[in-house]
Amino acid sequence: MASEEIIQLMGCVIRWTCPGVKDEQSGCGVVLIPQEGVILGQGSLLASLCFSNKALASRIYKGEFIGKEFLDSVKFEIMLDSRWNKASSNKRCAKEKVFEPEPFLSSDSVSSSFPRIYSCQCLAAYRNAAFHSVMCKVMPAESWTFESDIAGETEGATVENKKVAKENIEENKITYHLLSYFLIFKMEPITLVDTHLLTCFKDLEEKKVNQPLCSIGDAAEIVATPFGSQNPSVFFNSYSRGIISIVQGCWIVTDARCIPGSEGGPLFIMKQDGSRYLTGMVVASLCWKNKEWVGFSLACSLKSILSNLVMQTSKLKTKLQKLVNVKALDEKISSSTLLKYSDSLLPVAACTVLVRVGATWGSGVIVNKALGIILTCSHVIKDSQHHIVSVKTIQDSTEYKAQVLYSCKDHPHGPFDIAVLLCPEATSSIVDVGVPPIRPPKLGERVVVSGHALFSSDLQLLPSVTSGVISKLIDIHGHLCMVQTTCAVHAGTSGGPLLSQNGALLGIVVCNTVDKGSNSSYPHLNMSIPAYSLLSALNSYIGTQDPSVFSSFLIKDTVVRKLWALENTTLENFSQCSKSKL
């Protein structure tokens, strides 16, 4: 069975230089078919080249196939784990280069952290039309920026700054189109001398074709080299782990984090039996959006990438024999567009609902199917006096009108930002899945947050899921009043459930935090209302169906109110305070 050590063998760094381009450029890649020396790369690697070559950029904008004749002036090199050797010899070839470690390190101490460098040729660059189509729908170019130095951040109005701003806009446009491009490289065949590693690698390689669907909630692993070739002795083939958060056909989002330079790195999923599968390639690190730290990684399905590659084989000048082995993917790719949750997280998704009020939306959680009781945040339904409150489940595309049983906006002195909705028409659509039991959270336990976050609710995406741990529990006078987690919480998650790994409801997500000085938000520092604190009132309502029982949510405690206002409540009573993002 593949281990973390084995999956690292699939990662590599691709670097290139070219006359007319000032600096060395680099990104990550995947060792696709080692016995033929086939390496897969990601289109963002060519951004600087396209920026200096208008003819090449024009072809990229049109989505055209880029043959190797367009890249003849570029010198490409592959940086591989040092355990790889040329297949022609188990000994290091004289022409092979090794990344030089610091002088104080002896040759005996050099490990896989110091990659070997091989020359290679880029055979082609091609657009994945399916991925590009989803990108244009879900992440339109006018709403997302994939470069940090965008025009809006350029200070002043000098001629030079305007020129830089124009160049940055053009570079972002190129980068956006390159997200859907993939590169195929050819080098000398390589192999592993260690027979155990070779056997494990072949087992992982064979799973590229016969692998299960990538499902929301699967454990996700990324092998990538931050900053590319800038400092491989420190960053080469670093490991990151999270879960699959969103799947829309070949478009995959995971909360396994990576940073710029990691584009092209392999994405793996691990099923509950411990089996690992190479499931995709990192396309972009989603770092910042509207001054909000996103903390997601965007990837494209490997099945989609390889199916497109098979269709391009007639245009390649070099024959790749092993590609015939992946032609079966053409028949399977349609099934990979199905939206699906892992078995363990299906109950989590089923209890999560979309709550819409006019043009705004948030999330909610079903706590009683028979009566149709749904919990959400009061700020999610703050415009309920002017608009209908509607809810939608994952098993029914219809949005049903909900009745507001309780909202703290009618009780301004209540500390909990909680609302109770009633909508039996919506909850009756949930079949074969029960509601989550409610229990107190435990410090340090692994948890997930589910909600309709980050992307427009009009896209009809299923609830996204992010993972983390309970980072802090705050109790006042022996009563738990706030839960903090490290899960990624973004706008749209408010009102959604915080759940344990086995599906117990631990809290209702309220907000993440905002740095008042920079107005930047931090999704991995967030607060939830303890669900257990609401249980008594919920049970009373189920027994009596009297909404007045929710008056118990009105905790008349100054300290609790200050905590939820994120005011300073230390003994010194400092006046400085933060604010929350709702």
Side-chain angles (χ1 to χ4, degrees):
M1 188 175 293
S3 64
E4 290 83 356
E5 181 184 21
I6 300 301
I7 67 174
Q8 282 188 311
L9 289 167
M10 275 197 170
C12 65
V13 170
I14 305 165
R15 68 182 190 182
W16 61 266
T17 55
C18 179
V21 179
K22 183 179 179 181
D23 301 315
E24 177 184 280
Q25 306 296 317
S26 62
C28 295
V30 176
V31 179
L32 190 64
I33 310 175
Q35 59 269 40
E36 288 200 20
V38 178
I39 307 294
L40 190 65
Q42 204 281 319
S44 300
L45 182 66
L46 301 180
S48 295
L49 187 63
C50 292
F51 194 53
S52 62
N53 186 330
K54 301 302 180 184
L56 181 61
S58 177
R59 294 182 69 88
I60 295 294
Y61 291 149
K62 296 175 184 177
E64 296 179 356
F65 180 85
I66 309 296
K68 63 181 180 180
E69 62 272 16
F70 291 92
L71 304 169
D72 281 343
S73 61
V74 184
K75 178 185 176 182
F76 289 98
E77 290 183 322
I78 304 290
M79 305 179 76
L80 292 174
D81 187 298
S82 61
R83 290 169 290 184
W84 287 109
N85 284 272
K86 291 186 179 180
S88 58
S89 173
N90 287 342
K91 295 182 179 180
R92 194 185 302 171
C93 180
K95 295 181 179 180
E96 173 193 330
K97 295 185 291 183
V98 179
F99 184 82
E100 294 293 337
E102 291 297 322
F104 64 84
L105 292 176
S106 68
S107 59
D108 292 337
S109 67
V110 178
S111 68
S112 58
S113 296
F114 299 97
R116 293 182 179 173
I117 304 169
Y118 301 84
S119 60
C120 67
Q121 182 183 31
C122 184
L123 301 182
Y126 61 96
R127 173 184 279 181
N128 184 326
F131 186 79
H132 183 71
S133 176
V134 179
M135 280 292 298
C136 291
K137 177 184 177 182
V138 180
M139 303 178 72
E142 61 271 17
S143 301
W144 288 81
T145 299
F146 292 89
E147 294 291 330
S148 59
D149 297 325
I150 59 174
E153 295 176 354
T154 303
E155 297 181 0
T158 66
V159 173
E160 182 62 27
N161 281 345
K162 288 181 178 180
K163 179 182 177 181
V164 171
K166 183 177 180 181
E167 289 177 351
N168 287 334
I169 291 173
E170 181 67 18
E171 187 173 359
N172 182 66
K173 181 181 177 183
I174 291 171
T175 303
Y176 183 85
H177 281 271
L178 284 172
L179 294 176
S180 305
Y181 265 82
F182 298 90
L183 315 175
I184 190 75
F185 295 89
K186 188 75 165 62
M187 60 174 290
E188 290 188 47
I190 53 175
T191 188
L192 293 164
V193 177
D194 188 307
T195 54
H196 173 70
L197 289 178
L198 184 60
T199 300
C200 293
F201 186 89
K202 285 183 176 179
D203 177 64
L204 183 61
E205 186 182 19
E206 289 171 0
K207 292 178 180 177
K208 290 200 295 283
V209 177
N210 299 311
Q211 65 170 282
L213 297 177
C214 174
S215 303
I216 298 175
D218 283 339
E221 300 168 306
I222 290 174
V223 173
T225 303
F227 312 115
S229 64
Q230 288 188 29
N231 199 339
S233 58
V234 175
F235 300 115
F236 186 69
N237 280 355
S238 298
Y239 175 89
S240 177
R241 187 171 185 182
I243 64 173
I244 299 298
S245 298
I246 313 174
V247 178
Q248 177 77 2
C250 58
W251 183 85
I252 303 169
V253 176
T254 172
D255 66 356
R257 283 167 269 172
C258 59
I259 61 176
S262 301
E263 297 84 0
L267 169 67
F268 301 86
I269 57 171
M270 184 166 65
K271 294 297 185 177
Q272 288 183 299
D273 63 359
S275 298
R276 285 182 166 91
Y277 301 88
L278 175 62
T279 198
M281 170 178 276
V282 175
V283 166
S285 171
L286 305 182
C287 294
W288 292 91
K289 182 179 187 286
N290 298 329
K291 290 190 175 182
E292 180 177 35
W293 175 258
V294 177
F296 283 130
S297 299
L298 176 65
C300 180
S301 160
L302 181 73
K303 290 184 177 182
S304 183
I305 296 170
L306 295 186
S307 293
N308 272 262
L309 179 56
V310 169
M311 291 186 286
Q312 305 292 341
T313 52
S314 61
K315 300 177 184 179
L316 294 173
K317 301 295 178 65
T318 302
K319 197 169 183 180
L320 302 176
Q321 298 290 344
K322 286 288 182 178
L323 285 180
V324 298
N325 293 338
V326 299
K327 287 188 176 179
L329 292 170
D330 288 330
E331 302 170 4
K332 293 187 175 184
I333 189 62
S334 60
S335 66
S336 72
T337 62
L338 297 175
L339 297 174
K340 186 181 178 182
Y341 287 86
S342 64
D343 293 340
S344 62
L345 282 190
L346 183 57
V348 172
C351 74
T352 307
V353 301
L354 173 72
V355 180
R356 190 191 301 275
V357 183
T360 63
W361 79 92
S363 303
V365 55
I366 300 170
V367 293
N368 184 285
K369 285 199 300 183
L371 295 178
I373 304 174
I374 297 170
L375 298 180
T376 186
C377 287
S378 282
H379 75 261
V380 171
I381 63 165
K382 60 184 176 65
D383 294 327
S384 58
Q385 292 180 335
H386 308 290
H387 301 280
I388 292 175
V389 178
S390 62
V391 299
K392 182 174 76 70
T393 69
I394 68 167
Q395 295 183 347
D396 192 341
S397 59
T398 305
E399 293 191 8
Y400 295 96
K401 181 180 178 180
Q403 176 187 352
V404 179
L405 292 180
Y406 172 85
S407 174
C408 75
K409 67 184 179 64
D410 299 325
H411 307 276
H413 298 296
F416 287 157
D417 181 6
I418 193 73
V420 184
L421 308 179
L422 197 65
C423 189
E425 295 84 2
T427 59
S428 64
S429 68
I430 301 297
V431 296
D432 301 324
V433 180
V435 298
I438 296 175
R439 70 162 173 84
K442 300 174 183 177
L443 183 65
E445 73 172 303
R446 298 196 65 83
V447 291
V448 295
V449 161
S450 178
H452 293 271
L454 204 60
F455 302 100
S456 171
S457 62
D458 295 331
L459 296 171
Q460 302 296 314
L461 299 177
L462 292 178
S464 61
V465 180
T466 62
S467 59
V469 299
I470 299 291
S471 56
K472 190 169 185 179
L473 300 172
I474 301 177
D475 65 86
I476 302 296
H477 307 310
H479 298 284
L480 184 63
C481 62
M482 181 184 288
V483 183
Q484 294 180 17
T485 85
T486 61
C487 299
V489 166
H490 301 89
T493 312
S494 296
L498 166 67
L499 300 117
S500 68
Q501 286 195 307
N502 59 5
L505 181 62
L506 308 180
I508 308 300
V509 178
V510 175
C511 60
N512 59 29
T513 55
V514 171
D515 181 345
K516 196 173 182 180
S518 65
N519 203 33
S520 298
S521 65
Y522 297 91
H524 295 279
L525 180 57
N526 50 78
M527 281 68 73
S528 296
I529 298 168
Y532 196 74
S533 300
L534 312 175
L535 182 58
S536 178
L538 288 171
N539 286 338
S540 294
Y541 178 80
I542 292 170
T544 65
Q545 295 182 34
D546 178 8
S548 66
V549 299
F550 297 124
S551 61
S552 63
F553 293 164
L554 302 174
I555 301 174
K556 298 178 181 180
D557 189 296
T558 303
V559 177
V560 176
R561 288 204 303 270
K562 284 187 175 183
L563 280 172
W564 274 106
L566 294 192
E567 296 181 14
N568 195 312
T569 55
T570 61
L571 293 176
E572 293 79 3
N573 196 25
F574 293 119
S575 59
Q576 184 180 2
C577 65
S578 302
K579 65 177 182 177
S580 66
K581 180 177 179 179
L582 300 182

